[in-house]
PDB file of all heavy atoms in Angstrom:
ATOM      1  N   THR A  85     -31.264   8.414 -20.440  1.00  0.00           N
ATOM      2  CA  THR A  85     -29.911   8.971 -20.432  1.00  0.00           C
ATOM      3  C   THR A  85     -28.911   7.980 -21.018  1.00  0.00           C
ATOM      4  O   THR A  85     -28.898   6.790 -20.639  1.00  0.00           O
ATOM      5  CB  THR A  85     -29.499   9.284 -18.967  1.00  0.00           C
ATOM      6  OG1 THR A  85     -30.450  10.188 -18.431  1.00  0.00           O
ATOM      7  CG2 THR A  85     -28.138   9.911 -18.921  1.00  0.00           C
ATOM      8  N   SER A  86     -28.070   8.450 -21.891  1.00  0.00           N
ATOM      9  CA  SER A  86     -27.032   7.600 -22.459  1.00  0.00           C
ATOM     10  C   SER A  86     -25.903   7.408 -21.432  1.00  0.00           C
ATOM     11  O   SER A  86     -25.604   8.300 -20.648  1.00  0.00           O
ATOM     12  CB  SER A  86     -26.429   8.277 -23.700  1.00  0.00           C
ATOM     13  OG  SER A  86     -25.201   7.672 -24.073  1.00  0.00           O
ATOM     14  N   ASN A  87     -25.294   6.213 -21.463  1.00  0.00           N
ATOM     15  CA  ASN A  87     -24.168   5.951 -20.577  1.00  0.00           C
ATOM     16  C   ASN A  87     -23.049   6.904 -20.804  1.00  0.00           C
ATOM     17  O   ASN A  87     -22.264   7.188 -19.904  1.00  0.00           O
ATOM     18  CB  ASN A  87     -23.679   4.497 -20.746  1.00  0.00           C
ATOM     19  CG  ASN A  87     -24.623   3.514 -20.098  1.00  0.00           C
ATOM     20  OD1 ASN A  87     -25.370   3.861 -19.180  1.00  0.00           O
ATOM     21  ND2 ASN A  87     -24.593   2.277 -20.566  1.00  0.00           N
ATOM     22  N   ASP A  88     -22.940   7.452 -22.040  1.00  0.00           N
ATOM     23  CA  ASP A  88     -21.864   8.399 -22.349  1.00  0.00           C
ATOM     24  C   ASP A  88     -22.034   9.711 -21.607  1.00  0.00           C
ATOM     25  O   ASP A  88     -21.066  10.472 -21.452  1.00  0.00           O
ATOM     26  CB  ASP A  88     -21.819   8.677 -23.852  1.00  0.00           C
ATOM     27  CG  ASP A  88     -21.377   7.461 -24.656  1.00  0.00           C
ATOM     28  OD1 ASP A  88     -20.738   6.584 -24.057  1.00  0.00           O
ATOM     29  OD2 ASP A  88     -21.701   7.384 -25.839  1.00  0.00           O
ATOM     30  N   THR A  89     -23.257  10.020 -21.153  1.00  0.00           N
ATOM     31  CA  THR A  89     -23.463  11.285 -20.450  1.00  0.00           C
ATOM     32  C   THR A  89     -23.481  11.121 -18.956  1.00  0.00           C
ATOM     33  O   THR A  89     -23.581  12.118 -18.243  1.00  0.00           O
ATOM     34  CB  THR A  89     -24.832  11.897 -20.900  1.00  0.00           C
ATOM     35  OG1 THR A  89     -25.880  11.045 -20.424  1.00  0.00           O
ATOM     36  CG2 THR A  89     -24.884  12.034 -22.403  1.00  0.00           C
ATOM     37  N   LEU A  90     -23.330   9.901 -18.440  1.00  0.00           N
ATOM     38  CA  LEU A  90     -23.336   9.674 -17.019  1.00  0.00           C
ATOM     39  C   LEU A  90     -22.001  10.147 -16.418  1.00  0.00           C
ATOM     40  O   LEU A  90     -20.964  10.083 -17.061  1.00  0.00           O
ATOM     41  CB  LEU A  90     -23.532   8.217 -16.694  1.00  0.00           C
ATOM     42  CG  LEU A  90     -24.901   7.644 -17.063  1.00  0.00           C
ATOM     43  CD1 LEU A  90     -24.894   6.122 -16.889  1.00  0.00           C
ATOM     44  CD2 LEU A  90     -26.010   8.265 -16.218  1.00  0.00           C
ATOM     45  N   THR A  91     -22.040  10.606 -15.185  1.00  0.00           N
ATOM     46  CA  THR A  91     -20.830  11.047 -14.494  1.00  0.00           C
ATOM     47  C   THR A  91     -20.580  10.137 -13.279  1.00  0.00           C
ATOM     48  O   THR A  91     -21.394   9.315 -12.889  1.00  0.00           O
ATOM     49  CB  THR A  91     -20.971  12.503 -14.046  1.00  0.00           C
ATOM     50  OG1 THR A  91     -22.149  12.656 -13.224  1.00  0.00           O
ATOM     51  CG2 THR A  91     -21.064  13.429 -15.249  1.00  0.00           C
ATOM     52  N   SER A  92     -19.423  10.341 -12.679  1.00  0.00           N
ATOM     53  CA  SER A  92     -18.979   9.400 -11.635  1.00  0.00           C
ATOM     54  C   SER A  92     -19.724   9.490 -10.345  1.00  0.00           C
ATOM     55  O   SER A  92     -19.512   8.689  -9.442  1.00  0.00           O
ATOM     56  CB  SER A  92     -17.475   9.609 -11.355  1.00  0.00           C
ATOM     57  OG  SER A  92     -17.232  10.952 -10.910  1.00  0.00           O
ATOM     58  N   ASP A  93     -20.675  10.472 -10.235  1.00  0.00           N
ATOM     59  CA  ASP A  93     -21.538  10.502  -9.035  1.00  0.00           C
ATOM     60  C   ASP A  93     -22.819   9.715  -9.239  1.00  0.00           C
ATOM     61  O   ASP A  93     -23.726   9.768  -8.407  1.00  0.00           O
ATOM     62  CB  ASP A  93     -21.838  11.955  -8.630  1.00  0.00           C
ATOM     63  CG  ASP A  93     -22.457  12.766  -9.766  1.00  0.00           C
ATOM     64  OD1 ASP A  93     -22.561  12.252 -10.904  1.00  0.00           O
ATOM     65  OD2 ASP A  93     -22.801  13.936  -9.513  1.00  0.00           O
ATOM     66  N   ASN A  94     -22.903   8.950 -10.336  1.00  0.00           N
ATOM     67  CA  ASN A  94     -24.069   8.129 -10.629  1.00  0.00           C
ATOM     68  C   ASN A  94     -23.639   6.661 -10.574  1.00  0.00           C
ATOM     69  O   ASN A  94     -22.674   6.280 -11.231  1.00  0.00           O
ATOM     70  CB  ASN A  94     -24.605   8.453 -12.040  1.00  0.00           C
ATOM     71  CG  ASN A  94     -25.939   7.800 -12.331  1.00  0.00           C
ATOM     72  OD1 ASN A  94     -26.104   6.633 -12.044  1.00  0.00           O
ATOM     73  ND2 ASN A  94     -26.856   8.523 -12.917  1.00  0.00           N
ATOM     74  N   PRO A  95     -24.307   5.835  -9.777  1.00  0.00           N
ATOM     75  CA  PRO A  95     -23.882   4.439  -9.633  1.00  0.00           C
ATOM     76  C   PRO A  95     -23.939   3.701 -10.964  1.00  0.00           C
ATOM     77  O   PRO A  95     -23.166   2.709 -11.150  1.00  0.00           O
ATOM     78  CB  PRO A  95     -24.876   3.845  -8.617  1.00  0.00           C
ATOM     79  CG  PRO A  95     -26.001   4.766  -8.595  1.00  0.00           C
ATOM     80  CD  PRO A  95     -25.472   6.113  -8.883  1.00  0.00           C
ATOM     81  N   VAL A  96     -24.805   4.087 -11.893  1.00  0.00           N
ATOM     82  CA  VAL A  96     -24.921   3.413 -13.179  1.00  0.00           C
ATOM     83  C   VAL A  96     -23.609   3.582 -13.948  1.00  0.00           C
ATOM     84  O   VAL A  96     -23.203   2.703 -14.725  1.00  0.00           O
ATOM     85  CB  VAL A  96     -26.100   3.947 -13.994  1.00  0.00           C
ATOM     86  CG1 VAL A  96     -26.175   3.256 -15.340  1.00  0.00           C
ATOM     87  CG2 VAL A  96     -27.398   3.733 -13.214  1.00  0.00           C
ATOM     88  N   PHE A  97     -22.922   4.724 -13.786  1.00  0.00           N
ATOM     89  CA  PHE A  97     -21.622   4.907 -14.452  1.00  0.00           C
ATOM     90  C   PHE A  97     -20.655   3.790 -14.079  1.00  0.00           C
ATOM     91  O   PHE A  97     -20.022   3.180 -14.955  1.00  0.00           O
ATOM     92  CB  PHE A  97     -21.043   6.278 -14.021  1.00  0.00           C
ATOM     93  CG  PHE A  97     -19.646   6.551 -14.516  1.00  0.00           C
ATOM     94  CD1 PHE A  97     -19.465   7.167 -15.733  1.00  0.00           C
ATOM     95  CD2 PHE A  97     -18.538   6.188 -13.762  1.00  0.00           C
ATOM     96  CE1 PHE A  97     -18.151   7.437 -16.194  1.00  0.00           C
ATOM     97  CE2 PHE A  97     -17.255   6.451 -14.194  1.00  0.00           C
ATOM     98  CZ  PHE A  97     -17.063   7.093 -15.420  1.00  0.00           C
ATOM     99  N   TRP A  98     -20.558   3.495 -12.764  1.00  0.00           N
ATOM    100  CA  TRP A  98     -19.631   2.460 -12.303  1.00  0.00           C
ATOM    101  C   TRP A  98     -20.162   1.081 -12.603  1.00  0.00           C
ATOM    102  O   TRP A  98     -19.390   0.160 -12.964  1.00  0.00           O
ATOM    103  CB  TRP A  98     -19.374   2.619 -10.805  1.00  0.00           C
ATOM    104  CG  TRP A  98     -18.762   3.939 -10.514  1.00  0.00           C
ATOM    105  CD1 TRP A  98     -19.332   5.059  -9.966  1.00  0.00           C
ATOM    106  CD2 TRP A  98     -17.411   4.347 -10.845  1.00  0.00           C
ATOM    107  NE1 TRP A  98     -18.433   6.108  -9.901  1.00  0.00           N
ATOM    108  CE2 TRP A  98     -17.249   5.674 -10.418  1.00  0.00           C
ATOM    109  CE3 TRP A  98     -16.339   3.687 -11.417  1.00  0.00           C
ATOM    110  CZ2 TRP A  98     -16.051   6.362 -10.588  1.00  0.00           C
ATOM    111  CZ3 TRP A  98     -15.136   4.359 -11.582  1.00  0.00           C
ATOM    112  CH2 TRP A  98     -14.992   5.685 -11.156  1.00  0.00           C
TER     113      TRP A  98
END
Side-chain angles (χ1 to χ4, degrees):
T85 303
S86 165
N87 284 337
D88 292 338
T89 67
L90 294 172
T91 55
S92 60
D93 55 355
N94 189 316
V96 179
F97 175 90
W98 298 106

